[in-house]
Amino acid sequence: MTALQALGRWWLGVLGRLGRGHLFLLRTLVALGPLMLRPRLWIRELYSVGVRSLLIILVSGLFVGMVLGYQGYITLVDFGSAEALGTVVALSLVRELGPVVTALLFAGRAGSALTAEIGLMKATEQLSSMEMMAVDPYRRVLAPRFFAGILSMPLLAALFSAVGVAGGYLVGVGVLGVDAGAYWAQMQANVDVFDDVLNGVIKSLVFGLVATWIAVFEGYDTEPTAEGVSRATTRTVVHTALAVLALDFILTGLMFGAL
Amino acid sequence: MPDKTPWIEIRDLRFARGGRTIFDGLNIRIPRGQVAAIMGPSGSGKTTLLRLIGGQLRPDRGQVLVDGQDVHRLSRRALYRLRRRMGMLFQSGALLTDLDVFDNVAFPIRENTRLPEPVVRALVLMKLEAVGLRGARDLHPAELSGGMARRVALARAIALDPELMMYDEPFTGLDPITMGVIVTLIRRLHDALGMTSIVVSHDVAETSSIADWVYLISDGRVVDQGPPARLQEAATDWSRQFLQGLPDGPVPFHYPAPDYLGDLMNAEGRR
């Protein structure tokens, strides 16, 4: 096979997967309607996807906030504006680090678990058996997980940012001696609900949709073998990380820049 | 006497996957009320045939008619309606691993009907009693032996009292006692529920003991068919080799290879 043929075959494979991925998204979105009549299905998944990710999100948020406290202070104190630390920490978290780092952690914790679970259900013929029992796996398995992922991402990102702000406070005020009143007052004065917080929520919603879409699709589209599930799980983490970082660049440009 | 109207009719079926032709010109008619066995060597497409009948795969050519309906021309809604009249026992059992035995059997009932929970409970217990596992209702799939898992899967498959039951390799990997239990269950449930049954298997003795009619498939088509007793007596060379388990015959023992002596003497050959 010539290099050109190999390239053509690879490209056709990529296009095929893209097509399948979008059809998959369409069918999953259609299945969200009936899902609203059975909230128990997605509430269970919300626990599995969201609540079980809490520990890693909270601990990471705390450490990221504390590092921001140190780094922000070191830079600001040179300009005599250490009291602006609260603003720096909050804006960094709400606009960027909260949505992005939460999405990356989500991919590693919940996304990989979703892919492995659905992939194994496929490999052990559980999805096939559902189809033969006249139960649509899109409605029963995929849509609840998809919805739970989209719903939990903004909540996890909000908690990440809140704990991060507390971490910045611990280091900035508790260790480095920044005035507590200035920390909160500067934050309150300079962080806008719409420009900053709402844009951060929109980002985390978009990241939630993309991260869960990739995770659930990779599981459903996996080759039904142990090796196939392993490869799909890896792809979920890698593709989600790349997609989130690329989308973050685009969304940041649209929201805060000149794009 | 079983009704001779075909419940399943497969006409001139062609199906290929990954560049390999699995069926080419396959024709099968299974009358209502019959236990039909589809037998053939591994890789002859027996499981694929069940998936084609269930509408999970689409043929390249030909038709699969179930109760007069062309499975592959049905809308999704109509296909799911038809599947409610079918049951399938998967080789692996395919039990839902996050549910216990009771909930596994209740799953198709709860998903497809709006029966009150006390009725669901009674139905589930009746199905579990039929397969002898009423006492195992609280166990999880991971706690079941292979034979028990298959019996639970059988109870689940008959939960909606299907008109057609499909069994995919129901005897594979079972000890003799469990195999005897499954053989008896398949025939007993078939007779009690008045179903049409398709058993896909390469276990000749067990399948022949419960089948009314046997189809032998190889190279993508039916090579012989008839009642089990007749096939055992007056079979073609191929059928005799398969049914008697002979290692060599029309199906060669050796995978195609270059000349043996020449291969051995070729010291510079890579492998």
Side-chain angles (χ1 to χ4, degrees), chain A residues 82-87 169 172-173 177-189:
Chain A
E83 64 276 7
L85 183 65
T87 306
Y169 179 87
V173 177
V178 174
D179 181 67
Y183 184 89
W184 295 119
Q186 288 276 336
M187 194 187 301
Q188 192 177 10

Side-chain angles (χ1 to χ4, degrees), chain B residues 31-59:
Chain B
R32 197 179 292 269
Q34 190 179 68
V35 177
I38 313 278
M39 291 204 270
S42 298
S44 56
K46 303 185 296 295
T47 302
T48 304
L49 184 60
L50 292 188
R51 291 184 184 276
L52 283 160
I53 294 172
Q56 290 187 303
L57 294 173
R58 184 168 283 277

Side-chain angles (χ1 to χ4, degrees), chain B residues 40 62 74 85 103 109 136 140 155 162 174 178 180 192 223 226 234 245 248 259:
Chain B
L74 294 175
R85 299 164 63 195
D103 287 333
I109 306 173
H140 273 80
L174 298 179
T178 313
V223 291
D248 212 348
D259 173 61

Side-chain angles (χ1 to χ4, degrees), chain A residues 132-240:
Chain A
M132 287 309 297
M133 286 186 275
V135 177
D136 186 356
Y138 278 86
R139 288 189 183 188
R140 187 62 176 69
V141 175
L142 306 174
R145 284 160 176 78
F146 182 72
F147 185 64
I150 294 174
L151 200 61
S152 56
M153 184 74 85
L155 300 173
L156 290 172
L159 286 168
F160 182 98
S161 297
V163 173
V165 166
Y169 179 87
L170 279 178
V171 168
V173 177
V175 179
L176 301 171
V178 174
D179 181 67
Y183 184 89
W184 295 119
Q186 288 276 336
M187 194 187 301
Q188 192 177 10
N190 296 311
V191 178
D192 187 81
V193 173
F194 295 104
D195 285 347
D196 303 316
V197 178
L198 185 64
N199 279 334
V201 171
I202 292 171
K203 270 190 180 181
S204 59
L205 268 172
V206 173
F207 296 163
L209 187 144
V210 171
T212 320
W213 174 21
I214 290 174
V216 177
F217 172 68
E218 286 291 354
Y220 190 70
D221 198 52
T222 186
E223 189 187 322
T225 60
E227 194 190 357
V229 174
S230 156
R231 277 205 303 263
T233 311
T234 307
R235 271 201 307 271
T236 290
V237 177
V238 174
H239 290 183
T240 305

Side-chain angles (χ1 to χ4, degrees), chain A residues 27 38 41 44 117 121 124-140 145, chain B residues 51 54 56 76 80 83-84 86 88 90-92 94-99 107-108 111-112 156 166:
Chain A
R27 277 194 69 185
R38 301 178 67 183
L41 285 180
R44 211 188 96 170
E117 185 190 16
M121 287 180 84
T124 53
E125 297 184 308
Q126 293 181 52
L127 298 181
S128 276
S129 73
M130 273 189 199
E131 285 179 0
M132 287 309 297
M133 286 186 275
V135 177
D136 186 356
Y138 278 86
R139 288 189 183 188
R140 187 62 176 69
R145 284 160 176 78
Chain B
R51 291 184 184 276
Q56 290 187 303
R76 183 177 298 275
Y80 273 63
R83 281 182 184 159
R84 280 185 210 126
M86 301 177 178
M88 181 157 168
F90 285 76
Q91 186 178 350
S92 62
L95 295 175
L96 304 175
T97 44
D98 56 337
L99 302 179
F107 184 81
E111 292 290 327
N112 288 302
R156 185 181 68 175
M166 295 186 280

Side-chain angles (χ1 to χ4, degrees), chain B residues 124-230:
Chain B
V124 171
L125 293 184
M126 284 193 294
K127 303 303 176 190
L128 283 173
E129 176 73 11
V131 298
L133 290 176
R134 188 165 46 85
R137 74 187 89 166
D138 295 324
L139 298 180
H140 273 80
E143 299 171 284
L144 303 173
S145 67
M148 286 169 81
R150 214 163 290 178
R151 282 152 72 186
V152 174
L154 184 52
R156 185 181 68 175
I158 58 166
L160 293 173
D161 292 338
E163 294 167 58
L164 169 68
M165 259 305 290
M166 295 186 280
Y167 300 89
D168 183 10
E169 300 285 3
F171 313 118
T172 304
L174 298 179
D175 64 77
I177 297 173
T178 313
M179 194 183 285
V181 169
I182 296 283
V183 168
T184 311
L185 271 176
I186 290 176
R187 188 71 227 194
R188 211 173 66 197
L189 288 170
H190 173 89
D191 294 337
L193 298 175
M195 301 182 292
T196 304
S197 301
I198 304 175
V199 183
V200 149
S201 177
H202 49 222
D203 292 289
V204 175
E206 290 74 21
T207 310
S208 300
S209 71
I210 53 170
D212 298 317
W213 197 268
V214 176
Y215 293 90
L216 293 177
I217 57 173
S218 178
D219 293 329
R221 51 200 177 79
V222 175
V223 291
D224 212 347
Q225 61 173 299
R230 188 188 70 74

